[in-house]
Amino acid sequence: MISQFTNLIDLNDMPVSWWNEVIDLGAKISDNPSAYAHECDGKIMATLFYEPSTRTQMSFQTAMLKLGGTIIGFDNPATSSVSKGENLKDTTKIVSSYADIMVMRHNLEGAAKAAALTADCPVINAGDGGHLHPTQTLTDLLTLSKEKGRLDNLTIGLCGDLKNGRTVHSLCKALSCYKNNKFILISTPELRLPFYIKSILNASNCVFEEVDSIEEAIGKLDVLYMTRIQRERFASPEEYEKQKDVYRLDHTKMLKAQKDLCVLHPLPRVDEIAIEVDDDPRALYFKQAKYGMYVRMALIITILKNEYPTKLLVGKTRKGNECTNPNCITQKEAYLPKSFRGSGDTLECEYCDERFLQKH
Ligand code: NCD
């Protein structure tokens, strides 16, 4: 199914040239934001946040206000009809008839794609469970392009919860599309990068290695992307307790890093970066959050031009097969058409990318 709108569900639905245009526009806007003050006069953006957020939601809202538009929405589904049992389809159908563009964050994977199937306006994925976070990736790419001057030939260390961190998944997928990027994946064995993302790195011939400590990697890195351990995605509090304080970037570790290392973090930080690191000129995470607002301004302008209708479902239903991921939106919203990519024994859910063995 091809949408009549330009949606941003997964950056990899679009060609790299499209992302580069958004990033370049974001860079221009950051140099002169007031030149864009009337780009969205009369337009309304809806922000539907089913999960907590500070930066993503506020930067989207500020972006739309700076473009001359207005905003509606909720940041707590408990105060909307969702609490009365309304399904995702009905909520998004109605809201999309009020708004020109919709931004959605949801705890379930594939939710933004599910919304885009029936919405009457473009949908932007602002994070779907532990799956993807494409607008954080645009933020990260704009930051790297401004601060490092390139998106290729980088050695990138990603540290923390690589299993559940949606920002990490989106960023790895995106950086694998630029030449000669190398990845050092720093995590405990329990929180390694999912197999399907590693297959994407392999398919793009990206070199990557998995290590256990920051110390063994930091000296080799151009970029260190720190992430928090995603407490809300753990099966039990005990499992979270075992993982929570393993990584901490501090001044002593920074002594071993290159002079032009770029330390990024999507934020919020818990304890994984000591406050003392904030004063190090290589700590760019607060600047990164500001770039997020500019790149979202660029994204809103680009999406509203509607020049790139997105493919939403291109696979097939497979009789007798359901996605095996308990956090997939298709588990909760039973009316959704099931759709899988793949042939042979392995199927891949088109909403959440879960891979599983086909039942014959
Ligand atoms: C991230 C998210 O929500 O995935 N935050 C953000 O959008 N900047 C990272 C996180 O919550 O750890």
Side-chain angles (χ1 to χ4, degrees):
M1 186 225 161
I2 300 183
S3 169
Q4 56 172 310
F5 302 111
T6 304
N7 301 278
L8 179 57
I9 308 301
D10 176 345
L11 269 181
N12 298 67
D13 294 335
M14 314 295 205
V16 178
S17 56
W18 188 90
W19 330 341
N20 287 338
E21 275 171 35
V22 176
I23 296 163
D24 289 349
L25 180 58
K28 277 194 203 140
I29 295 175
S30 73
D31 290 338
N32 186 9
S34 57
Y36 299 82
H38 297 289
E39 285 283 329
C40 290
D41 279 356
K43 299 285 185 201
I44 297 177
M45 183 177 75
T47 50
L48 271 53
F49 276 62
Y50 290 75
E51 258 196 347
S53 168
T54 304
R55 269 150 299 273
T56 306
Q57 188 191 25
M58 287 195 197
S59 65
F60 259 117
Q61 293 178 339
T62 313
M64 190 49 152
L65 295 172
K66 279 186 179 281
L67 293 169
T70 47
I71 50 172
I72 58 170
F74 59 75
D75 54 15
N76 178 0
T79 60
S80 79
S81 285
V82 174
S83 66
K84 301 179 189 168
E86 185 168 64
N87 66 29
L88 186 81
K89 179 178 180 185
D90 293 359
T91 307
T92 52
K93 187 82 188 157
I94 300 304
V95 173
S96 66
S97 72
Y98 302 153
D100 299 288
I101 185 165
M102 184 194 294
V103 180
M104 173 176 286
R105 168 167 289 188
H106 205 284
N107 52 310
L108 293 177
E109 303 179 6
K113 180 173 274 190
L117 291 177
T118 46
D120 290 318
C121 74
V123 176
I124 297 176
N125 181 6
D128 58 333
H131 184 217
L132 295 173
H133 196 344
T135 72
Q136 180 63 46
T137 297
L138 288 173
T139 302
D140 304 338
L141 296 181
L142 174 58
T143 309
L144 289 175
S145 112
K146 287 279 268 189
E147 301 294 328
K148 279 270 171 219
R150 66 185 196 277
L151 296 174
D152 53 13
N153 291 298
L154 293 168
T155 301
I156 306 120
L158 296 116
C159 175
D161 192 344
L162 309 188
K163 178 180 176 204
N164 301 300
R166 55 194 173 198
T167 60
V168 169
H169 305 163
S170 283
L171 184 59
C172 285
K173 283 176 69 169
L175 284 174
S176 74
C177 297
Y178 296 90
K179 278 199 192 125
N180 278 333
N181 285 329
K182 292 192 192 111
F183 298 84
I184 305 188
L185 307 169
I186 309 161
S187 79
T188 60
E190 292 81 3
L191 298 182
R192 297 276 192 236
L193 194 69
F195 180 73
Y196 89 95
I197 306 278
K198 286 189 215 163
S199 328
I200 292 170
L201 297 184
N202 278 326
S204 319
N205 291 322
C206 285
V207 176
F208 69 89
E209 60 178 301
E210 296 183 306
V211 302
D212 293 332
S213 74
I214 296 179
E215 288 88 333
E216 58 193 294
I218 197 162
K220 303 178 205 159
L221 302 176
D222 300 307
V223 181
L224 174 56
Y225 196 88
M226 294 296 295
T227 63
R228 108 191 132 89
I229 307 300
Q230 306 272 303
R231 184 176 52 188
E232 67 277 28
R233 316 235 184 264
F234 278 72
S236 71
E238 295 72 38
E239 282 173 53
Y240 169 70
E241 287 299 314
K242 277 190 225 148
Q243 299 290 334
K244 73 173 190 190
D245 291 323
V246 177
Y247 297 107
R248 187 168 162 86
L249 181 66
D250 58 16
H251 178 63
T252 314
K253 292 189 186 99
M254 287 296 284
L255 292 174
K256 297 196 178 127
Q258 294 181 18
K259 283 199 183 67
D260 60 351
L261 173 75
C262 201
V263 180
L264 302 183
H265 191 311
L267 305 176
R269 144 175 70 185
V270 184
D271 284 323
E272 58 283 351
I273 302 182
I275 305 280
E276 68 200 22
V277 178
D278 297 356
D279 297 327
D280 189 307
R282 295 168 290 182
L284 296 178
Y285 28 90
F286 296 126
K287 228 172 172 185
Q288 179 187 1
K290 190 155 187 195
Y291 284 130
M293 178 183 69
Y294 295 126
V295 92
R296 288 179 174 109
M297 289 171 77
L299 180 65
I300 294 168
I301 294 173
T302 309
I303 291 229
L304 285 175
K305 278 199 212 146
N306 204 17
E307 288 170 348
Y308 202 92
T310 27
K311 287 187 191 145
L312 293 173
L313 297 179
V314 294
K316 295 189 187 138
T317 49
R318 303 289 176 125
K319 219 164 166 239
N321 285 282
E322 300 221 342
C323 178
T324 53
N325 172 9
N327 298 320
C328 177
I329 190 70
T330 59
Q331 304 283 357
K332 170 143 187 292
E333 310 274 331
Y335 57 83
L336 287 169
K338 314 275 180 292
S339 188
F340 305 103
R341 288 181 289 252
S343 51
D345 284 345
T346 308
L347 293 184
E348 200 174 87
C349 173
E350 274 203 282
Y351 294 84
C352 70
D353 294 313
E354 175 87 349
R355 288 180 185 182
F356 59 95
L357 283 180
Q358 172 162 206
K359 284 191 203 147
H360 292 285

